[in-house]
Amino acid sequence: MATAEGKHIYYVPHGSKWPAVGTIGLFTTMIGAANWLNEVSWGKPAFYVGVAILLFMMWGWFGDVIRESIKGLYNHQVDTSFRMGMMWFIFSEIMFFGAFFGALFYARMYSVPWLGGEGDGALTNFYLHQGYAAAWPTNGPDSIGGSFQTIPAWGVPLLNTLILLTSGVTITIAHHALRAGHRLQLLVFLGLTVALGALFLFFQAEEYIEAYKHLNLTLGSGVYGSTFFMLTGFHGLHVTLGTIMLLVIWFRCLKGHFTKDNHFGFEAVAWYWHFVDVVWLGLFMFVYVL
């Protein structure tokens, strides 16, 4: 895009190999995963090769974007495009988790009561699952996975909630410090946010170990086990990615890549982290408390 004088007002990127590399990586990863699940001998190695290609692509592509930003090639219009892209990305993540919350809601409010004979499920209960009393949490009429115990909400889950809420405060303080030009305060509070993210992941790992070893709560524990680990596991993955992103941004702040007027890279990660916080609050209420 150019003005009448022929001056570019929008940065047009050079030809890049990274989309092609990413395509190869995604294809290899999915082919490997499919064959791994079907117990083909080369499936597992192919999956890891694909993941390695994807990591290589991300390192190279994001590196190019950082270098272009440092060189001052991006203007206000490019900044607006980045912001819109991040907004749509977070919206897609909201829909992603919305699907899993919907699965939990449907199983808990409709499927399980129907199996227990409520509403239109009387015949289902009489002919297929006679004697099954609907209750939540449940591993179904056939007690798939055996008996299990749930994770108490007021133990590690509450602690992790406080950790994430605190991390939302520290990254906000870091953002204000960046805008005010207080570099030391920025590095300290952004570093605290990284540490809190890592601490959350540590306690979640401890919770999973407790669930598997002592409570017999596993992915195989019927609909409750599958929805519990599906929601908390995907959230844990997002916290892991967010913590890595925060760590990268910390090093960029250390090198002085951002100014008080030009720091969307920081803002994008902060938006993502606040999204992770909000999703966890929903998880805490609907998975642990209710």
Side-chain angles (χ1 to χ4, degrees):
M1 185 181 298
T3 63
E5 292 80 13
K7 295 181 180 179
H8 289 286
I9 63 173
Y10 193 93
Y11 174 67
V12 179
H14 55 79
S16 175
K17 62 179 178 295
W18 300 119
V21 174
T23 301
I24 295 171
L26 283 172
F27 182 79
T28 305
T29 301
M30 296 310 298
I31 289 294
N35 283 277
W36 186 4
L37 290 174
N38 285 280
E39 300 181 354
V40 179
S41 60
W42 53 266
K44 185 176 180 180
F47 172 80
Y48 286 118
V49 169
V51 170
I53 294 173
L54 287 175
L55 292 175
F56 171 69
M57 177 272 296
M58 293 176 68
W59 178 272
W61 203 341
F62 282 115
D64 284 349
V65 172
I66 291 171
R67 284 186 287 271
E68 290 166 357
S69 177
I70 294 173
K71 290 178 181 178
L73 298 176
Y74 299 155
N75 57 17
H76 177 71
Q77 191 171 2
V78 177
D79 184 75
T80 300
S81 295
F82 280 145
R83 291 176 184 276
M84 292 299 296
M86 193 65 189
M87 289 177 186
W88 281 113
F89 170 69
I90 292 177
F91 176 77
S92 71
E93 293 291 279
I94 292 172
M95 295 296 101
F96 178 84
F97 277 99
F100 294 132
F101 275 111
L104 174 65
F105 175 81
Y106 189 86
R108 182 172 181 174
M109 302 304 295
Y110 292 99
S111 296
V112 171
W114 284 340
L115 292 175
E118 292 185 18
D120 296 333
L123 292 179
T124 300
N125 178 263
F126 181 79
Y127 286 109
L128 298 180
H129 305 293
Q130 195 170 19
Y132 172 68
W136 190 266
T138 180
N139 50 3
D142 296 325
S143 298
I144 298 174
S147 61
F148 65 88
Q149 294 176 297
T150 60
I151 303 289
W154 310 114
V156 172
L158 177 60
L159 177 60
N160 268 347
T161 301
L162 296 175
I163 289 171
L164 274 190
L165 289 177
T166 304
S167 73
V169 174
T170 56
I171 196 170
T172 301
I173 295 174
H175 191 190
H176 285 295
L178 175 57
R179 297 181 66 179
H182 299 154
R183 189 164 181 266
L184 179 60
Q185 187 181 27
L186 163 65
L187 292 173
V188 168
F189 281 92
L190 185 56
L192 284 174
T193 309
V194 175
L196 289 169
L199 187 62
F200 174 92
L201 292 172
F202 169 79
F203 282 120
Q204 187 170 45
E206 289 289 312
E207 178 183 274
Y208 276 14
I209 293 172
E210 173 71 12
Y212 264 77
K213 285 189 174 181
H214 303 292
L215 304 181
N216 196 37
L217 177 59
T218 71
L219 271 170
S221 299
V223 66
Y224 178 79
S226 61
T227 52
F228 174 84
F229 285 103
M230 180 173 60
L231 280 162
T232 59
F234 273 119
H235 179 267
L237 175 62
H238 282 71
V239 173
T240 302
L241 294 175
T243 303
I244 294 171
M245 291 160 63
L246 286 168
L247 185 60
V248 171
I249 291 298
W250 188 89
F251 280 109
R252 292 194 63 192
C253 290
L254 182 65
K255 292 190 174 186
H257 286 182
F258 302 119
T259 67
K260 61 181 181 179
D261 298 318
N262 183 17
H263 54 267
F264 175 66
F266 180 99
E267 285 185 312
V269 177
W271 292 356
Y272 183 83
W273 195 253
H274 287 306
F275 157 75
V276 168
D277 288 349
V278 172
V279 170
W280 176 258
L281 288 177
L283 273 169
F284 179 68
M285 290 303 299
F286 294 106
V287 176
Y288 291 100
V289 176
L290 300 180

